[in-house]
Amino acid sequence: MLPYTLIEKKQAGKTLTRKEWEFFISGYLSEDIPAYQMSAMLMAIYFRGLEDEEVSNLIDIVIQSGKRIHFKHKDVFYADKHSTGGVGDKISLILAPLAAASGRVRVPMISGRALGHSGGTLDKLESIPGLRTNLTLKEFQEQTDRIGCALIGQTNDICPADRELYALRDVTATVRSIPLICISILSKKIAEGIQGLVLDVKSGNGAFMQTKKDAETLASKLKHFGEAGGLKVTPVITDMNQPLGQAVGNWLEVRESLDVLHGGGPQDVRDLSIRLTEEMILLAEPKADRKVIHAELASLLDNGKAFDKFLEIVKAQDGDISVLEDPESYPEPDYVAEVTADEAGTVQSIDTYGLGLDAIDLGAGRRKNTDTIDPKAGMLVHVNIGDNISPGDPVITLFSDNEKALKNKVKEIGERVKLN
Ligand code: URA
């Protein structure tokens, strides 16, 4: 088999056999197939798509590139939530400890890094000094069973093929593909040994699926392939026409999550965190009363138990909890700039995708996969669609160690928010 002819085959819109996909994926992992040929293949998939049979085969091949976890306790419900990606989406940082604090489910969570314009839970977690996200599988399982949750990234053990493909898609503009998103998310989630999965399928100008119709197609495909892989799946389509909460950028988002874990924070972040955790628990206990679960989750945020669970998880993974207890002690970015409104008006729309790219320019994401992230970089977006603003009102505050990038952004970022 030649990689070249397989790329040509997909380019022509033909279906590749399981053997051909095995050859291509294993060849890429062993470096016999170079990144430029894999990039060409990803682009061919992006334009030509994949048949359902190819998606099922690829989910399986990606799982088999590593190990699959089997938890020992048959009487426990292991569940997770995954977002298809957005801007300011810090829900996992709240939902994981909240669900674990409820004691109704255990959460073995494998998260990804930033992808395209969207942030990644793993990068956010790694803004906490010392936090290890590369637990061994034994540690991951043991911690999940001991304290109800563990938070890791893809390792050599779990779906290494997804880790490599994810990094390549991030820099080759091949993220926005329904079959590739299904393969990436479901391979990780099936491999982590869960029974239930809540999928937050984002729709809008800051999501990979910009229209409701595309989000619905992605949601139904994720449910179909997830169930075929033995999971109970609840997809929820949620809005991504403006950032979630105010904070965009790794440490800034951790900080905002701490506010929510203390019972405060932006209402949209609190509501969505509770909603998705509720869905997760309902997968475990389908007969439970939604209202009772909702009230229980709200009180776990308000009484500090979810925050305590977050500290317990971070501590178990060697993270420095002092910055979570006293966020003011976290290093400050070198430069801060506030963009204010020039005129009065009502916010009509926010270019959320553009803000995601701006955050990368400020240092919060990667332009190429070898770049390092500045955890302090990012922005606070002070306005929401529908807000009335007056001249001089703060619109966006920018944070960066890169003075030039910050100055350039100050000039252009006001354009992201459109007034009537
Ligand atoms: N999240 C993932 O893990 N993979 C994708 O492709 C998109 C979002």
Side-chain angles (χ1 to χ4, degrees), residues 398-416:
L398 305 173
F399 304 87
S400 183
D401 281 353
N402 181 335
E403 188 179 14
K404 191 162 163 235
L406 188 107
K407 281 196 172 142
N408 289 339
K409 283 295 144 198
V410 169
K411 280 192 217 130
E412 62 196 42
I413 205 159
E415 293 298 306
R416 305 283 186 213

Side-chain angles (χ1 to χ4, degrees), residues 78-90:
Y78 295 88
D80 197 0
K81 176 291 302 187
H82 199 84
S83 158
T84 57
V87 178
D89 183 355
K90 69 261 320 160

Side-chain angles (χ1 to χ4, degrees), residues 66-119:
K67 294 186 182 140
R68 191 166 170 171
I69 295 176
H70 297 280
F71 282 97
K72 285 197 290 267
H73 302 279
K74 300 292 168 229
D75 52 337
V76 172
F77 197 86
Y78 295 88
D80 197 0
K81 176 291 302 187
H82 199 84
S83 158
T84 57
V87 178
D89 183 355
K90 69 261 320 160
I91 301 297
S92 292
L93 302 177
I94 302 153
L95 166 142
L98 178 59
S102 78
R104 293 173 180 264
V105 289
R106 290 185 193 160
V107 188
M109 186 179 273
I110 299 179
S111 304
R113 298 198 177 281
L115 193 59
H117 70 288
S118 78

Side-chain angles (χ1 to χ4, degrees), residues 82-85 112 115 162 166 169 175 180-181 184-185 188 208:
H82 199 84
S83 158
T84 57
L115 193 59
D162 178 57
Y166 195 92
R169 286 168 63 217
V175 176
L180 290 177
I181 294 175
S184 166
I185 294 181
K188 289 192 279 279
F208 292 117

